Amino acid sequence: MSRSTTLYDRIWDEHVVVPASEPGAPDLLYIDRHLLHEVSTPQSFELLRENGLAVRRPATQLAVPDHAVPTRTRDGTIREEMARKQVALLERNCAEFGIELLPLTDARQGIVHVMSPEQGFTLPGLTFVCGDSHTATHGAFGALAFGIGASECGTVMATQCLWQTRARNLRVTYRGQLSPHVTTKDMILALIAKIGASGGVGHAIEFAGEAVRSASMEARMTLCNMAIEAGSRVGMVAPDDTTFAYLADRPRAPKGAMWDAALAHWRTLNSGDAVFEREVTIDAAALAPQVSFGTSPDQTVGIDAVVPEVPARALEYMGLSTGQPLAGLPIDYAFIGSCTNSRIEDLRAAAGVIRGRHVAPGVTAMVVPGSTQVKKQAEAEGLDRLFLAAGFEWHNAGCSLCVAMNGDRVPEGKRSVSTSNRNFEGRQGAGARTHLASPAMVAAAALNGKLVDVREDQAAKELVG
Amino acid sequence: MSGVKQVTGQAFALPLEDVDTDVIYPALFLLHTEKRGLGRFAFHDRPAIREAYAAAGSPPILVAGANFGCGSSREHAVWALADFGLRAIVAPSFGEIFRSNCANNGLIAAQVDEAALAPLLCAAEAHAAFTVDLRSTEVIVGDTRTPFAVPEADRELVLEGWNTTTRMLALHGAQIAQFEDRQRAREPWLWTEE
């Protein structure tokens, strides 16, 4: 018996339209699904117009505004002129080219990478693209999903294909189970810190191990979401019963006999005994909650560590010095949201930390649900009232403070602790200082006014009652 | 787009690693829906870089540290750098989406060995004349020829100035249609909306 192929290679092989002319050359790869948002597609539609091209399969495309939309108010209009025009342009483009768009006021609106799984638009075994680098999120379902540029979005719309060079296979195995208050966000941050921001370049990551198998779909999405922060465009988890249970009865998932046929196929999507070109192992049971300290996501340590030695520019920008403990660092802003950590389980984890306390004086704390559906669910569970009573702002769905191009912004020099994915210079606003962490860690920081170890924070609360 | 065989001129040294696309093109300017004239936003929040580049005479070549263009997929970063005046970027590694975006816009993303970076940065700072030759895949400075890597498909695309999309349809339209017929029969649940 020959050995299996990896999940990545298997899906790749099933989508080759024209094989590479020689080893190392690109294959023409068929693309099953394309998600569109307002920021990365205006120029893609221009490409179609300039070349007189139509959208080949409109039913494989789905659009939603998320990046530029304001989250404080949602009353049908966007006050900021450029954002309003950008969203209106997406609406016009989609209407002209026959692509379905979920408008800002739609109950299904949300961040592309939150909305699509909710709707069952994301399925196992698909090739899946979006003009957004966090598209690997959909790899949580065992899809081959990756971010592309605007020109490539245009090419996909016209042809359903892209020339792509196969990546090498990297398996990341998480041994053991996570301790309480440690999450898949900490798992992915620890990986990025271990292999570096370019450590995964040229590789497709498959996440495996006990801590991945026992993770929920939402937790797996958080894990795959940040593969790009390790340089890898692709992060995947083989689909299993957790995946299928999540997808059953989603609006766009197959139904009836189609579901049965799909399920039979999906059950075969795994890496079996395949050999990976590279393996990395992480002891999940030993992980502390992680927090970034610098201006690259790989500049991350456990909350119980001190700031290590890194290039001076990063520390200067962050206003930190080597040897300084991270716990106890005062913060000004706390952000719970983004395609990484804005789903219902993230909001529950953050709300669960509050325990009757209030956001510390001087801290601006925001909760921004990833989709209108998440928002409604949270409100049905009373989470909005918990957050509001504790002094958190409660927003509408959108990318918000993860990309700071929509009216939500951290002022220059202010320190933010954030559940988002990037601590780059200026990411949350020019001169803003960002620390990445999990939802529970961000909530605990907001309540204490400083970075704290959420494990200790919760243990202390239990003692006091 | 017309093809590019080589880029000659001086080079600008940017000896930083992990220069991400938010630094190259801050998110606030993603509200612009055009792709021309975006050079005014390149490195907008890092005025020292803008000023140094202008003071160097806006040369067509950039020599930068590893993992240049990591982060976001925004093609605006490439449009802005091209409008800024750049035609070739030399670095030990690139963000992968950024590298593809370069090829789709006729920019050369030349990947050199980590060990070759320091001498190239020195030569750039000394205002040496550079040639980034896409035919021989070498960075040529005086008598020194430094080989660089570029995906063969990207090299062809930039050399020939092809239109990827129309070329794909013209050469492979029939194969795409055949693939679709096969997939529709094999995985009908992917085709229920059509």
Side-chain angles (χ1 to χ4, degrees), chain A residues 56 149 172 231 270 284 303:
Chain A
R56 185 177 179 89
V172 178
N270 59 67
I303 182 66

Side-chain angles (χ1 to χ4, degrees), chain A residues 8 18 46 52 64 66 97 140-141 151 185 214 223 241 273 297 343 349 351 356 358 398 415 419 432 441 456:
Chain A
Y8 170 78
V18 180
E46 272 314 299
V64 68
D66 59 1
F97 286 90
F141 291 81
S151 298
K185 178 63 165 287
S214 60
L223 186 64
D241 286 337
D273 62 351
R343 299 177 182 86
H358 199 276
R415 190 175 299 284
T419 65
M441 280 286 286
E456 290 170 14

Side-chain angles (χ1 to χ4, degrees), chain A residues 26 30 32 43 51 56-57 86 126 131-132 149-151 155 159 201-202 233 313 403 422 424-425 427, chain B residues 20 22 27 30-31 33-34 46 71-75 79 96 101 153 163 165 168 179-180 183 190-191 194:
Chain A
Y30 195 79
D32 294 318
Q43 299 85 353
N51 293 289
R56 185 177 179 89
R57 288 181 64 198
Q86 189 167 51
L126 296 178
D132 187 284
S151 298
T155 302
T159 69
V201 168
R233 294 169 77 177
R313 171 147 190 115
V403 68
R422 288 188 174 133
F424 295 158
E425 283 189 29
R427 176 78 180 184
Chain B
D20 59 73
D22 277 83
L30 291 174
L31 291 168
T33 56
E34 68 280 7
R46 298 285 286 270
S72 154
S73 61
R74 61 190 69 167
E75 200 160 319
W79 298 324
E96 288 182 13
N101 288 341
N163 179 324
T165 312
M168 193 186 291
F179 177 91
E180 289 175 334
Q183 193 193 54
L190 298 179
W191 291 79
E194 289 149 287

Side-chain angles (χ1 to χ4, degrees), chain A residues 223-243:
Chain A
L223 186 64
C224 293
N225 172 274
M226 288 183 69
I228 189 71
E229 266 58 70
S232 177
R233 294 169 77 177
V234 172
M236 312 172 82
V237 175
D240 58 14
D241 286 337
T242 303
T243 320

